[in-house]
Amino acid sequence: MREPIPDSALALSRALSRRELSAREAALACLSRMEAREDELHAFLTVTREEALAAADRVDSRRAAGEELPPLAGVPMAVKDNLCTRGVRTTCGSRMLEHFVSPYDATAVARLREAGCPLLGKTNLDEFAMGCDTGASAFGPTANPVDPARVPGGSSGGSAAAVAAREALFALGSDTGGSVRQPAALCGVVGLRPTYGRISRYGLTGFAPSFDQIGLLTRTVEDCAAVLEAVAGFDPRDATSARVFSEGVLRAVGEGVRGLTIALVRESEEEASPGVRRELLRAVRCLESRGARVDELSLPFLRDMLPAYHILAAAEASSNLARFDGVRYGFRAPEAVSWQELIRESRSRGFGPEVKRRILLGTLALTKERYDACYGRASRIRAATGAALREALARFDLLLLPASPETAWRRGEKRSPVALYRSDLFAVPASMAGLPAVSVPFGAEQGLPVGMQLVGRAFEEAALLRAARALEEENA
Amino acid sequence: MEFSITEIAQLANLRLTKEEEAALAVDLESFLSLAAQMREPEEAARRAELPSVLRQDREQSSLPQEEALQNAPETRDGCFVLPRAIGGESHA
């Protein structure tokens, strides 16, 4: 029987550097955990066993040769299957890309490979990251490790489940309108959506590029800071990546919340389920008792942001996914006899229902007749609410609200698309404004994890993680 | 119904079955009624001032042709192969 490995990435990193175990043993422990849980969970779409072991062996030989290694060397990771991985298929949870093998690595993946993190495999997601329960994957749903009869959230549900089930020490996800924070909340792990521009999006399959950001799913807040430092930073291949430093986040995490001013978003209290509301108020007391000042703040436009977000994201998706035409890559309808038919048939058979729904919604919102009332108004709401959030963050260091209005719901529960979209209610403000936000496990409702969310100023992830660490300590 | 789902699908280059059309029309309709509740902001907001950063306009290496074509469903002599674009079905 193999000894269990430490739970957190940094604890494993310390054990590896003290040579209490080898990177190969750590990778094998994760792989045997996957063997034990995957039939039930289906967090992974592709498992890269040989590749993970080869990468682990390289770390072990470098360590044996006395090389100085990066802090995460030998810590096994999982990657959401909409991030390109050279030589390993990247499906985006879609029949459209079932056999697509990227010729290059996403920058975030490349940086972690260089840091010595063995890739265990690619995780399940709602098709093209469009969904909030991982039920819209073309390859079947993922179960929540806390209660496999329930959804893991989404769209990064595979990444969240893999980390919650300890199959991987951490995972990359992507967050357009909450796709990292909401599954992190539902599975009881830490989920960070960094500031737009903090992590290069090169190699992330675009859904709505003005919102998309690569996010991190980890077991602890410190792990989150460590992984952020490893992947963040300017990348000339992503024109929206920012020239800002990302060091010092990990060092700041333990600084406590004394002196921070935090705004409790009043509307989130009204919209949350009773148990989530109870934990929200407990989080307020926790932060106050540790020396933060918490005041209430009203964001009356919160409800307007949800449809505005969905219109803008769908509009971007409808344009963005036009590239799937059966010509350069992806599914091709083999019997098409004309170019027009090739495009239409390839798309109609390659895309699943949720992707079609969003493409159609975006197309409708961009028609001449609807443009101003839909896309135009949604853009104006985005600008106005972004300005209001920045103004609020001039007065407060952080905003506090739950990551999700409710805990994990039962799989197979019938919900209309519009009802499912509501799951993003508390996540869209940070997405609309490009602000960093983190979900940290805090308490439970009827045994199911609740995630508390903090939203901060652009590029001030350190303050976010300090407050998240305080909540994590209370939760322990 | 204030829009034609068939026309929207045509614009999006999607072919829908009758069942899909019926279901998606209902979904879009219910989403539009939600969108109709969006309140117009009282005043136009100033956008965040973000400077544009341009890269140097220099030649750089890209994917080798072989790798760029490796995922194409059909290629010949380093080119993508397509059915007839002109003289087949007329453009919608």
Side-chain angles (χ1 to χ4, degrees):
Chain A
M1 183 68 194
R2 191 172 288 116
E3 288 295 305
I5 59 169
D7 259 359
S8 85
L10 284 173
L12 174 60
S13 156
R14 285 188 290 271
L16 288 167
S17 60
R18 287 196 299 261
R19 306 195 187 196
E20 290 164 13
L21 78 168
S22 67
R24 185 181 183 87
E25 285 170 319
L28 281 170
C30 289
L31 289 163
S32 63
R33 186 98 190 145
M34 285 156 76
E35 273 164 33
R37 297 298 309 271
E38 271 305 282
D39 281 350
E40 181 179 41
L41 297 180
H42 192 230
F44 286 84
L45 293 176
T46 304
V47 177
T48 50
R49 181 187 172 88
E50 296 315 313
E51 180 175 329
L53 292 176
D57 287 345
R58 282 195 295 276
V59 169
D60 286 333
S61 16
R62 287 172 66 190
R63 204 183 304 275
E67 265 188 64
E68 181 93 12
L69 296 174
L72 294 173
V75 177
M77 64 170 172
V79 170
K80 187 177 182 179
D81 209 18
N82 61 350
L83 283 152
C84 286
T85 42
R86 187 180 169 90
V88 177
R89 71 177 188 148
T90 298
T91 69
C92 291
S94 180
R95 294 279 170 217
M96 184 61 94
L97 291 173
E98 191 170 0
H99 306 294
F100 177 77
V101 177
S102 170
Y104 59 87
D105 270 336
T107 298
V109 173
R111 286 187 178 167
L112 289 168
R113 288 207 215 240
E114 276 159 34
C117 298
L119 173 68
L120 295 164
K122 306 291 296 289
T123 55
N124 200 8
L125 67 158
D126 291 296
E127 186 174 356
F128 284 101
M130 297 176 188
C132 55
D133 61 7
T134 317
S137 165
F139 307 111
T142 293
N144 190 324
V146 180
D147 175 357
R150 292 177 186 269
V151 300
S155 65
S156 308
S159 285
V163 174
R166 298 178 170 86
E167 292 175 313
L169 273 292
F170 72 92
L172 294 181
S174 68
D175 188 313
T176 303
S179 278
V180 160
R181 291 163 284 158
Q182 185 258 23
L186 269 49
C187 290
V189 298
V190 179
L192 174 70
R193 174 198 168 90
T195 311
Y196 187 79
R198 174 69 93 176
I199 299 177
S200 165
R201 289 181 295 115
Y202 179 72
L204 168 68
T205 309
F207 154 17
S210 80
F211 297 92
D212 296 340
Q213 174 65 70
I214 291 172
L216 317 173
L217 295 117
T218 60
R219 298 198 56 82
T220 70
V221 174
E222 280 197 335
D223 282 0
C224 194
V227 179
L228 180 67
E229 288 187 6
V231 295
F234 175 71
D235 174 15
R237 293 176 189 269
D238 173 4
T240 61
S241 82
R243 292 174 193 267
V244 288
F245 288 108
S246 302
E247 290 83 23
V249 181
L250 177 58
R251 208 170 46 236
V253 165
E255 285 176 8
V257 293
R258 189 160 300 283
L260 288 182
T261 55
I262 300 174
L264 164 67
V265 178
R266 189 183 304 145
E267 287 75 9
S268 75
E269 213 184 312
E270 295 156 14
E271 298 277 352
S273 71
V276 172
R277 187 184 312 126
R278 194 180 56 238
E279 295 299 350
L280 175 66
L281 299 177
R282 195 167 68 84
V284 170
R285 291 195 296 277
C286 160
L287 292 165
E288 280 177 337
S289 73
R290 288 165 178 259
R293 209 188 76 217
V294 184
D295 284 324
E296 273 203 7
L297 171 79
S298 173
L299 296 181
F301 47 76
L302 187 69
R303 290 179 196 92
D304 297 312
M305 291 180 106
L306 187 66
Y309 160 75
H310 276 285
I311 285 170
L312 296 172
E316 290 188 28
S318 73
S319 154
N320 215 9
L321 271 61
R323 74 187 63 187
F324 293 99
D325 55 6
V327 175
R328 290 154 300 160
Y329 44 77
F331 175 77
R332 169 183 282 201
E335 69 291 341
V337 293
S338 75
W339 181 52
Q340 278 300 108
E341 191 188 340
L342 173 82
I343 298 175
R344 202 167 49 231
E345 287 303 310
S346 301
R347 292 166 62 77
S348 302
R349 287 161 52 187
F351 290 139
E354 182 60 28
V355 174
K356 287 181 189 167
R357 186 177 294 121
R358 299 216 193 188
I359 289 175
L360 292 167
L361 174 61
T363 307
L364 178 62
L366 290 172
T367 53
K368 199 173 76 187
E369 298 76 22
R370 305 254 167 204
Y371 184 88
D372 189 63
C374 284
Y375 188 82
R377 180 169 294 179
S379 301
R380 292 189 291 275
I381 288 173
R382 184 180 195 183
T385 54
L389 285 172
R390 283 191 294 277
E391 191 268 331
L393 285 165
R395 289 186 290 134
F396 295 95
D397 294 307
L398 299 168
L399 310 181
L400 172 70
L401 67 171
S404 163
E406 58 185 332
T407 54
W409 57 91
R410 288 193 171 280
R411 288 163 64 194
E413 193 177 289
K414 195 80 189 138
R415 292 189 168 200
S416 73
V418 169
L420 280 171
Y421 291 175
R422 187 178 173 277
S423 181
D424 300 329
L425 182 65
F426 298 156
V428 294
S431 296
M432 291 279 266
L435 298 170
V438 66
S439 171
V440 59
F442 192 77
E445 181 178 31
Q446 293 177 343
L448 298 168
V450 170
M452 221 36 75
Q453 180 181 208
L454 294 145
V455 180
R457 298 186 195 110
F459 300 108
E460 292 190 12
E461 280 85 355
L464 269 189
L465 297 183
R466 278 168 62 193
R469 177 81 182 100
L471 293 175
E472 181 182 52
E473 280 172 358
E474 185 87 4
N475 201 47
Chain B
M1 197 76 62
E2 293 175 51
F3 60 90
S4 154
I5 187 76
T6 318
E7 272 176 43
I8 300 297
Q10 209 163 29
L11 286 170
N13 260 321
L14 291 171
R15 177 185 48 76
L16 302 178
T17 63
K18 286 290 161 214
E19 294 75 40
E20 280 179 314
E21 276 196 359
L24 285 162
V26 172
D27 290 345
L28 293 196
E29 191 68 32
S30 65
F31 195 82
L32 280 182
S33 57
L34 189 70
Q37 295 165 19
M38 290 190 301
R39 293 165 295 177
E40 185 70 36
E42 280 165 20
E43 48 191 300
R46 283 199 311 275
R47 287 182 175 276
E49 297 290 326
L50 292 173
S52 286
V53 183
L54 301 176
R55 67 167 167 79
Q56 297 262 306
D57 188 15
R58 271 201 308 256
E59 207 178 297
Q60 28 186 308
S61 62
S62 186
L63 286 180
Q65 187 184 39
E66 193 184 316
E67 290 186 9
L69 292 170
Q70 77 183 26
N71 283 286
E74 199 182 344
T75 62
R76 193 162 60 223
D77 303 331
C79 296
F80 298 109
V81 175
L82 292 177
R84 281 183 87 89
I86 301 169
E89 186 189 346
S90 65
H91 287 244

